[in-house]
């Protein structure tokens, strides 16, 4: 069963990006295909520190790295903080770019998709090239798909923590289609 890891670049519980991730999760769960879907919490990543890395890291950090290393796809929803990704997202990507088990970094070769959301009308679209560049520098493999930037996302967030606006759901469903297409075209032995 393909493993998909979802990550919100904002650690605020009621963030726009958490709503995007919850909506993507719901769309994945509504598919006929079976996926193992988990969420990666960026709260458990300490500030990047090579001394801590040399000491073996923390149990939470090691678990997070193992979670991403075992994924077939990573989907990230990034906020735009002054046009750049959040510090917690950048910090997590720094950790995930470092070798883990079998001397392979969890992000190395990992198929990845980036979406963004913000309270503003542009939806943080200006952050996506920066996140993609960081992911490329980390060795991730970006899945080709239409860019999705969810504007006015706080207003669109329902009390249940998802987005139900039809145009946004359609755009996110297109992103999920791209992920499903990638997984269908990738033999599971090679994706694991």
């Amino acid at each position: 069963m393909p493993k998909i890891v979802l990550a919100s670049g904002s650690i605020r519980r009621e963030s726009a990006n958490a709503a995007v991730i919850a909506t993507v999760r719901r769309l994945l769960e509504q598919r006929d295909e079976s996926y193992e879907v988990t969420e990666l919490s960026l709260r458990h990543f300490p500030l990047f520190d090579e001394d801590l890395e040399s000491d073996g890291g923390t149990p939470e950090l090691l678990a997070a790295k193992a979670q991403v290393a075992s994924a077939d796809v990573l989907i990230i929803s990034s906020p735009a903080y002054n046009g750049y990704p959040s510090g917690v997202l950048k910090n997590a990507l720094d950790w995930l770019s470092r070798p883990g088990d079998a001397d392979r970094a969890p992000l190395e070769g990992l198929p990845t998709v980036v979406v963004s959301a913000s309270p503003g009308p542009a939806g943080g679209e200006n952050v996506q090239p920066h996140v993609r560049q960081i992911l490329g520098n980390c060795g991730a493999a970006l899945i080709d798909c239409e860019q999705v930037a969810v504007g006015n996302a706080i207003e669109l967030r329902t009390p249940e923590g998802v987005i139900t606006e039809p145009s946004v759901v359609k755009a996110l469903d297109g992103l999920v289609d791209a992920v499903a297409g990638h997984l269908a075209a990738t033999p599971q032995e090679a994706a694991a």
Side-chain angles (χ1 to χ4, degrees):
M1 177 182 313
K3 296 179 182 178
I4 300 174
V5 174
L6 309 174
S8 169
S10 172
I11 58 174
R12 190 167 58 86
R13 281 184 299 277
E14 296 183 3
S15 78
N17 289 278
V20 167
I21 290 300
T23 305
V24 169
R25 182 180 198 123
R26 180 180 278 185
L27 291 168
L28 285 164
E29 290 170 349
Q30 292 172 350
R31 295 276 168 145
D32 290 336
E33 301 89 348
S34 293
Y35 303 115
E36 181 182 328
V37 182
T38 62
E39 291 185 36
L40 176 68
S41 173
L42 304 188
R43 290 181 180 277
H44 303 298
F45 287 86
L47 289 176
F48 183 75
D49 177 352
E50 286 189 38
D51 291 334
L52 178 58
E53 182 181 40
S54 295
D55 291 342
T58 65
E60 296 86 4
L61 173 62
L62 296 175
K65 289 179 80 170
Q67 179 184 5
V68 174
S70 70
D72 295 301
V73 172
L74 172 64
I75 300 173
I76 298 171
S77 185
S78 178
Y81 292 177
N82 298 314
Y84 289 90
S86 64
V88 294
L89 177 57
K90 173 63 168 70
N91 182 60
L93 295 177
D94 287 340
W95 276 111
L96 295 170
S97 73
R98 304 293 289 179
D101 291 342
D103 292 327
R104 187 177 147 276
L107 285 175
E108 186 178 322
L110 179 61
T112 305
V113 173
V114 177
V115 61
S116 61
S118 77
E125 67 183 337
N126 60 338
V127 77
Q128 292 193 32
H130 301 295
V131 178
R132 286 189 184 95
Q133 181 178 7
I134 294 165
L135 286 164
N137 291 346
C138 294
L142 296 166
I143 295 175
D144 186 33
C145 63
E146 289 289 323
Q147 178 173 291
V148 179
V150 182
N152 305 311
I154 294 295
E155 296 171 22
L156 299 177
R157 186 183 182 282
T158 68
E160 294 78 33
V162 296
I163 297 173
T164 57
E165 162 59 41
S167 63
V168 173
V169 172
K170 182 178 179 182
L172 292 174
D173 203 39
L175 181 142
V176 170
D177 282 341
V179 168
H182 172 81
L183 289 169
T186 306
Q188 283 300 265
E189 301 79 39

